[in-house]
Amino acid sequence: MPDQCPMAIDPAGRDIHGEGSRMRDRGPVALVELPDAVGAFAVSSPELLKRLLTDARVSKDPRRHWPLWINGQISPDWPLFTWVAVQNMFTAYGTEHKRLRTLVSSAFTARRTAALRPRIEEITGRLLDRVAEVGRRGEVVDLREEFCYPLPIQVISELFGLPRDKAADLREVVDSLFHTSAEPDEVTANYGRLYAVMGELVEEKRKSPGDDLTTNLLAARDDGRGARLSEQELLDTLVLMIGAGHETTVNLIDNAVHALLTHPEQLAHVREGRATWDDAVEETLRADAPVASLPLRYAVEDIELGELGGPEGTVIRAGEAILAAYAAAGRDPQQYGNDADRFDVTRVDKDHLAFGYGVHHCLGAPLGRLEARIALPALFGRFPELTLAVPSEELLPVESFISNGHRSLPVRLT
């Protein structure tokens, strides 16, 4: 049985990897306490997590399978409210999930993603010109602000046809989605702003359709056939694809740059051909999952974990919540050995769960990888003497236990 005293999760995510280590010390599954004393089972074993993520007895639909939601005990001012309240494929179960994912995946195709390469390369080059301008004469550049953040947000904005004058609004509402230490009144206000921005985008595209994913999703909403997207599902799908899809790539690029700058021998492996940029991307995803812990899943019925290779005698009861602890799983010594905490681009086993697993595997994973594989060689090729401007231990994490990145990434170009 896991320790019966729940481990409190820090809403501000100030020590994600230390917390992950303490979580693993409690076993492959640990009782944790989320904000407002909401309990959950955090799963940090990669193998057990894979089995749960593909088990039909595990749901993401709180309206059907989470008693706290059904009984009205989860209020709109809960910091994770949006993560469970949305009605899209992220929180759908069974046939409903299949219906929604089919509609979205028909718009988010591999061909469309591949066709973005020239545009991503163009945006990358323009942003690096800006970085060079800001960093002239040895001045410090916040690389997260000037490069890691604007690249994905520009790509996702163009993909969904968001007008340029709405970029600042988008950034504000996306940041609020991941701010898990926000005060109750801030959570409620952010929720309203989020849907205001998405609603404005939908109305704009109804008036002026374009060759973009919002227009494609509107076709699924408005074509008059049955079993299509409802208006709420449309808005919530935009929240998912634009919000979560963008934040993961920001953190991926941020964490990869940080890892390579703090492990120069690993950067040398890539530069000298002993490893590839793909290796750097995948090792970053393993060692520093851009989404540290993802809420929530729920047991549809009692699940005896011993039947899934987990600890004998531990049962997740019907209606209890499950937290996918991706950052902790990525550094599990049982899978990666005693050096699981070490960033090593030559590591043979870089298998990870950073983009999820099973039917809920992230549709945007190919786009995130593509952006990182373009951004990293371009950045280090343009600025071969790039260094951190402050000691690594002085860097502050983003204020979230879901999002895993840095508030800023100050560097010098020479």
Side-chain angles (χ1 to χ4, degrees):
M1 290 288 289
D3 191 322
Q4 293 303 304
C5 180
M7 171 183 162
I9 297 293
D10 177 10
R14 283 166 287 204
D15 185 21
I16 282 174
H17 292 303
E19 204 165 68
S21 178
R22 294 188 292 276
M23 194 182 293
R24 291 191 301 270
D25 287 345
R26 292 177 169 229
V29 59
L31 286 170
V32 296
E33 184 179 278
L34 302 176
D36 293 352
V38 172
F41 284 86
V43 184
S44 61
S45 160
E47 289 307 310
L48 180 58
L49 188 51
K50 282 182 181 180
R51 293 186 183 107
L52 284 169
L53 294 178
T54 53
D55 195 310
R57 296 172 297 173
V58 176
S59 168
K60 294 196 76 176
D61 188 346
R63 291 165 179 82
R64 294 168 62 186
H65 300 122
W66 195 25
L68 291 185
W69 179 275
I70 296 168
N71 298 335
Q73 294 170 258
I74 301 298
S75 66
D77 59 6
W78 190 47
L80 307 183
F81 182 80
T82 304
W83 290 90
V84 299
V86 289
Q87 297 180 51
N88 55 31
M89 64 183 183
F90 182 79
T91 57
Y93 173 69
T95 56
E96 276 298 284
H97 174 264
K98 183 177 180 180
R99 173 181 69 86
L100 292 168
R101 190 175 177 99
T102 299
L103 289 169
V104 175
S105 60
S106 67
F108 210 95
T109 62
R111 183 169 61 88
R112 185 186 288 270
T113 298
L116 287 170
R117 173 178 283 275
R119 183 61 181 141
I120 296 171
E121 291 172 343
E122 180 183 344
I123 295 171
T124 298
R126 189 174 68 247
L127 290 172
L128 291 179
D129 289 343
R130 170 65 180 165
V131 168
E133 175 65 19
V134 174
R136 69 188 188 283
R137 297 188 301 275
E139 295 171 4
V140 173
V141 180
D142 181 352
L143 205 61
R144 183 177 175 94
E145 183 68 24
E146 300 292 343
F147 186 64
C148 304
Y149 204 110
L151 173 58
I153 206 167
Q154 287 188 40
V155 172
I156 206 78
S157 293
E158 292 190 10
L159 192 62
F160 282 86
L162 188 79
R164 290 192 176 187
D165 62 356
K166 295 295 182 183
D169 291 338
L170 174 62
R171 174 167 185 169
E172 181 181 354
V173 297
V174 168
D175 285 350
S176 73
L177 185 64
F178 289 87
H179 188 194
T180 55
S181 58
E183 294 298 322
D185 57 345
E186 185 180 356
V187 172
T188 304
N190 288 339
Y191 188 72
R193 283 198 296 271
L194 177 65
Y195 283 95
V197 172
M198 295 300 105
E200 289 171 7
L201 173 59
V202 167
E203 289 310 307
E204 175 65 27
K205 289 302 167 181
R206 280 200 171 106
K207 295 174 184 175
S208 304
D211 182 20
D212 54 66
L213 294 190
T214 304
T215 299
N216 285 11
L217 290 171
L218 270 168
R221 164 72 181 101
D222 296 337
D223 68 359
R225 289 183 287 173
R228 311 302 287 175
L229 286 173
S230 70
E231 188 73 9
Q232 190 63 49
E233 288 169 344
L234 169 64
L235 291 171
D236 286 347
T237 296
L238 288 171
V239 169
L240 170 64
M241 302 302 291
I242 296 178
H246 145 256
E247 180 77 6
T248 53
T249 308
V250 173
N251 290 338
L252 168 56
I253 298 172
D254 172 344
N255 289 333
V257 172
H258 174 260
L260 291 167
L261 290 180
T262 53
H263 298 82
E265 77 286 356
Q266 301 302 316
L267 180 57
H269 284 322
V270 178
R271 283 177 161 160
E272 295 166 16
R274 293 183 293 274
T276 66
W277 289 108
D278 283 358
D279 289 325
V281 169
E282 296 307 310
E283 178 65 351
T284 300
L285 287 166
R286 179 200 71 83
D288 259 314
V291 173
S293 295
L294 192 63
L296 280 171
R297 286 172 167 81
Y298 321 95
V300 175
E301 59 185 72
D302 290 359
I303 302 173
E304 170 55 67
L305 294 184
E307 298 173 0
L308 300 177
E312 294 291 342
T314 299
V315 179
I316 300 179
R317 301 294 178 187
E320 292 186 314
I322 301 168
L323 184 72
Y326 292 133
R331 296 190 176 200
D332 180 27
Q334 295 296 317
Q335 174 158 338
Y336 304 106
N338 292 332
D339 67 345
D341 283 330
R342 185 165 65 91
F343 178 78
D344 180 4
V345 296
T346 67
R347 185 185 301 275
V348 175
D349 182 8
K350 300 185 188 70
D351 186 34
H352 59 78
L353 298 172
F355 288 119
Y357 191 76
V359 296
H360 284 279
H361 183 268
C362 178
L363 275 176
L367 179 58
R369 282 189 168 102
L370 177 62
E371 290 179 61
R373 289 168 178 170
I374 291 171
L376 293 173
L379 173 69
F380 284 98
R382 181 77 174 268
F383 307 112
E385 299 178 40
L386 190 70
T387 58
L388 281 176
V390 300
S392 178
E393 57 270 20
E394 292 183 12
L395 297 178
L396 299 174
V398 294
E399 296 178 341
S400 172
F401 77 89
I402 298 176
S403 183
N404 179 24
H406 302 95
R407 286 192 224 171
S408 64
L409 195 61
V411 300
R412 295 188 188 276
L413 306 185
T414 58

